[in-house]
Amino acid sequence: MPRNIQNGQNKWKFTTYRDWCSGFWPGELWYLYESTHNKKWLSEADKFTRHLTPIASEPGFDHDLGFQLFNSFGNGYRLTKNPEYKAVILKAADSLATLFNPKIGTILSWPQNVKRMGWPHNTIIDNMINLELLFWASKNGGPKRLCEIASAHAKTTMKNHFRPDYSAYHVVVYDTITGKKIKGITHQGYSDSSMWARGQAWAIYGYTMCYRETKDPQFLHFAQKVAGIYLAKLPADMVPYWDFNAPNIPNESRDASAAAITASALLELSTFVKDKSQARLYRQKAEQMLNALSSAQYQSRDVNSAALLHSTGHHPNGSEIDASIIYADYYYLEALVRLKKLQVGKRLCQNL
């Protein structure tokens, strides 16, 4: 599966089906099929999706099952209603649910970091996206407790994962005995007190999705709060630096992936808020983000075969800095598909 094209290069670096990014490429192919109705994309999407089948049968190894199997099999089932896809999704949801700790109220994100980092129970903001797998499964043949797990995770995260200004920590570490929060820290952001751009984007997207799935107004309210600080601190071109508090702004790497994720989320959020002026604002900001990403500065065009340039993966680790990254392309394409639907007066149906 394609993962990234490093800055200055023009060839994809590939990874195995077990990589957390493995679901984004088949997900892109499904969006291409949806947009064009070209059977070529259907064939390719099915082929690459099926490569991920073994993951669903493995014991839950981390939270990324949603990224891997919902973007692939989920989009595939939405468009084809293939019962084989549905079976994989339901199995994956059951696997993800095994990582839920009821004492704490969240899913364990990184089991490997319990001993490696000394984080007894760790939950990362990225995990909000994987809750969609549980919500969907609970409505499509899986047990209702999957919805309860997803809602509990979202509410616990809402309580513990955010600072008073609604900026998100990347990681929250919990005590497995008391169930209480030990600390909030960063892993891929600049510092424990900074606002990591992609983490905030995950929060905007995640709570918008939670409202869609539950219609619980507290999730809609919170999505607007976490979107508010993100929008307030954006640079003029609407594409954030990799961390809003990085020390050398404006000489810091941008993160086009965060812009793409947020643009897609804001398009959906604009359809939920009742205040028409606020809805217009979210739609306008999303379109401005997409216009920026579609400009010669950020769209790859003849530079390489990705869709976007200038994303940042793990800056503190020196990984994927100012690169083309597959998940940036996925959310960019998703946002364009959503915008196209809105422009022709179609409702944004549930993703799956």
Side-chain angles (χ1 to χ4, degrees), residues 241-254:
Y241 298 95
W242 68 277
D243 191 295
F244 284 88
N245 303 101
N248 298 312
I249 292 173
N251 300 313
E252 293 280 359
S253 301
R254 300 297 187 108

Side-chain angles (χ1 to χ4, degrees), residues 101 103-104 120-121 174-180 182:
N101 185 322
K103 178 80 173 181
I104 294 164
H121 180 95
Y174 293 92
D175 188 311
T176 55
I177 298 174
T178 65
K180 294 183 178 180
I182 297 175

Side-chain angles (χ1 to χ4, degrees), residues 2 29 33 39 82 101 119-120 168 181 184 235 242 268 295 300 347:
L29 294 171
Y33 171 61
K39 293 296 180 67
N82 185 331
N101 185 322
W119 297 344
K181 173 182 176 179
W242 68 277
E268 184 169 34
S295 70
S300 61
R347 294 183 62 187

Side-chain angles (χ1 to χ4, degrees), residues 4-13 302-306:
N4 62 58
I5 303 176
Q6 298 289 0
N7 187 15
Q9 301 181 12
N10 59 14
K11 292 184 179 180
W12 283 97
K13 175 185 176 182
D302 295 330
V303 176
N304 60 43
S305 61

Side-chain angles (χ1 to χ4, degrees), residues 137 140 150 192 204 302 346:
N140 290 274
D192 292 347
I204 299 166
D302 295 330
K346 291 184 178 179

Side-chain angles (χ1 to χ4, degrees), residues 54-119:
I55 297 174
S57 300
E58 298 175 1
F61 51 88
D62 68 23
H63 72 105
D64 289 317
L65 285 164
F67 285 122
Q68 293 167 312
L69 298 180
F70 206 55
N71 294 345
S72 53
F73 285 95
N75 276 310
Y77 184 76
R78 176 173 63 87
L79 296 171
T80 69
K81 296 299 184 284
N82 185 331
E84 294 178 6
Y85 295 171
K86 180 178 180 179
V88 172
I89 299 168
L90 292 176
K91 189 177 292 186
D94 288 339
S95 180
L96 180 59
T98 64
L99 296 175
F100 181 71
N101 185 322
K103 178 80 173 181
I104 294 164
T106 69
I107 292 165
L108 172 63
S109 296
W110 287 329
Q112 70 272 20
N113 281 343
V114 171
K115 290 185 177 180
R116 183 189 303 169
M117 303 294 292
W119 297 344

Side-chain angles (χ1 to χ4, degrees), residues 182-195:
I182 297 175
K183 57 183 176 179
I185 55 179
T186 195
H187 187 64
Q188 291 173 256
Y190 168 63
S191 73
D192 292 347
S193 60
S194 68
M195 187 164 75

